[in-house]
Amino acid sequence: MNRDLTLDDLVMASVALAAGLLAAFLLRLLLRWLGRHASRTRWTGDDVVVDALRALVPWSAVAGGAAVAAAVLPLTRTVGRHVNQTLTVLLILLATITAARVVGNLVRTVAQSRAGVAGSVTIFVNITRVMVTAIGCLVVLQTLGIPIAPMVTALGVGGLAVALALQDTLANLFAGIHILASKTVQVGDYIRLTSGEEGYVEDINWRQTTIRSLSNNLVIIPNGKLAGTNMTNYNRPEQEMTLLVQVGVGYDSDLEHVERVTNEVVAEVMTGVEGALPEHEPAVRFHTFGDSRIGMTVILGVGEFGDQYRIKHEFIKRLHRRYRDEGIRIPAPTRTVALHQGDSLPVIPHQREADGAPRVL
């Protein structure tokens, strides 16, 4: 426009800005009300959508008021085009960020609500957000009049060089995707690697897997190493497991009596200790004639890997007390050594065999 700025123009622009701010305030109140109602539903997806719209909708109202104010002001064609273009880019960026947040949270919600889907979806959420953000950036460039076709071609050629330079990072990325897609490891599983690391899986992201050991320390393992090593998952195919406890009794013990007393203690532990399996059937199996004892294995039922230490602790205490009350002896290993010293065979106390064991002559 070529006309001069008047007081009416300023008033109209001010009214437009005020209307945009008022609309933003009212919309924010409306979304807050919708958020309270969404929190009462079982599906968490509506909470995600409403929470994301709280940032998008009010700012869109403010941008709309600013666009109307710019339209009523006597701006030149160039200035008006730049203002409209700036507001459009800001709205696209805001919508992109909101869409990335909504889609990522929906992926997390849907995945965690389905049985058999990996509990850790951080890697999928990050990939989804990156894809949505990339699409939004391309739309922004197209809006600014920058051709994106040559850029996409250049990115394709440059991506090959980047892939060669980031082999380890990409290997960890695809290893993490493979781990989650195969469903061999999920969040909450207790795993043990052949290299010695063990603990509960806390998270699987695009580069690494985080596990929490029983000492409450975090162990960071690259996905490539996790996918390429032998691993025991104590939660697959089921979380319940058996615990074997080795016990020995004296040769003078009545084995029928020992078995009956041990079964009673097992039943007491299975019903009275947290994490045990009350439906577990007591099992006692004698297996060895040892040097000073008859060995047996007691089989206990455990709800999950972390419960075995508490259950074993309580079982040993109660079994020791019950054996003592019943007169069942748990013999300690003993060995009698007789040394014969003669005139022709003196004792050489410090002479040793080739393997380091002491030898008496």
Side-chain angles (χ1 to χ4, degrees):
M1 297 182 181
N2 295 325
R3 64 184 182 84
D4 296 332
L5 181 65
T6 62
L7 181 60
D8 293 338
D9 296 331
L10 293 176
V11 172
M12 293 296 296
S14 301
V15 171
L17 287 175
L21 293 173
L22 179 61
F25 176 74
L26 295 177
L27 288 172
R28 189 171 183 83
L29 293 179
L30 176 62
L31 290 172
R32 185 178 300 175
W33 177 79
L34 290 176
R36 288 196 298 267
H37 284 271
S39 61
R40 301 173 184 172
T41 62
R42 294 183 178 180
W43 186 52
T44 58
D46 51 0
D47 299 282
V48 173
V49 174
V50 172
D51 183 66
L53 291 178
R54 287 180 181 178
L56 175 62
V57 174
W59 282 108
S60 300
V62 174
V68 174
V72 300
L73 291 176
L75 303 176
T76 62
R77 181 176 300 177
T78 303
V79 174
R81 184 175 66 253
H82 289 328
V83 171
N84 291 331
Q85 195 175 56
T86 301
L87 292 175
T88 302
V89 169
L90 290 177
L91 285 178
I92 293 174
L93 291 176
L94 184 61
T96 300
I97 296 174
T98 303
R101 184 185 303 173
V102 170
V103 174
N105 290 338
L106 286 178
V107 169
R108 185 189 303 274
T109 300
V110 173
Q112 291 180 347
S113 64
R114 293 180 179 271
V117 179
S120 175
V121 293
T122 303
I123 184 172
F124 294 132
V125 171
N126 291 338
I127 292 175
T128 303
R129 289 178 176 176
V130 168
M131 292 178 60
V132 174
T133 304
I135 294 174
C137 292
L138 293 177
V139 174
V140 169
L141 294 176
Q142 191 70 28
T143 302
L144 295 175
I146 301 175
I148 62 175
M151 185 176 299
V152 172
T153 304
L155 289 176
V157 176
L160 184 60
V162 173
L164 294 176
L166 301 176
Q167 293 184 29
D168 294 339
T169 302
L170 293 178
N172 289 326
L173 172 63
F174 289 109
I177 295 176
H178 169 71
I179 291 172
L180 292 177
S182 62
K183 303 176 185 178
T184 56
V185 178
Q186 299 184 23
V187 165
D189 291 353
Y190 192 95
I191 62 175
R192 175 182 292 167
L193 308 184
T194 53
S195 55
E197 296 88 352
E198 63 178 288
Y200 292 96
V201 178
E202 290 285 314
D203 185 35
I204 304 175
N205 57 34
W206 64 275
R207 182 181 180 276
Q208 61 201 17
T209 298
T210 304
I211 64 176
R212 177 173 52 84
S213 63
L214 294 178
S215 59
N216 208 29
N217 296 322
L218 295 180
V219 181
I220 310 300
I221 304 174
N223 291 333
K225 179 181 178 181
L226 184 64
T229 187
N230 295 333
M231 173 184 60
T232 303
N233 191 332
Y234 290 93
N235 289 72
R236 307 294 167 187
E238 60 183 12
Q239 188 174 0
E240 298 177 356
M241 57 179 292
T242 57
L243 173 63
L244 306 181
V245 181
Q246 304 300 325
V247 184
V249 296
Y251 278 94
D252 56 347
S253 302
D254 182 356
L255 297 187
E256 295 292 339
H257 182 218
V258 171
E259 183 177 7
R260 183 175 63 257
V261 171
T262 306
N263 284 330
E264 292 175 359
V265 176
V266 172
E268 177 185 348
V269 171
M270 290 297 97
T271 56
V273 179
E274 181 183 358
L277 301 179
E279 66 277 7
H280 174 75
E281 182 179 356
V284 178
R285 299 292 182 264
F286 296 98
H287 57 76
T288 305
F289 288 101
D291 293 338
S292 58
R293 64 181 65 190
I294 297 178
M296 64 179 179
T297 299
V298 181
I299 304 176
L300 307 175
V302 180
E304 64 101 9
F305 186 87
D307 295 331
Q308 63 174 317
Y309 302 102
R310 178 175 59 256
I311 295 173
K312 189 174 183 179
H313 167 77
E314 289 294 331
F315 173 72
I316 291 177
K317 287 198 310 180
R318 300 185 187 192
L319 185 66
H320 179 266
R321 181 172 60 249
R322 185 67 184 277
Y323 276 6
R324 184 182 56 194
D325 295 341
E326 297 289 339
I328 299 174
R329 188 171 61 90
I330 304 177
T334 59
R335 178 170 298 178
T336 302
V337 179
L339 299 178
H340 299 279
Q341 184 175 2
D343 296 335
S344 59
L345 293 176
V347 177
I348 305 175
H350 298 292
Q351 186 173 353
R352 295 180 176 271
E353 295 286 354
D355 59 354
R359 180 163 61 95
V360 178
L361 298 179

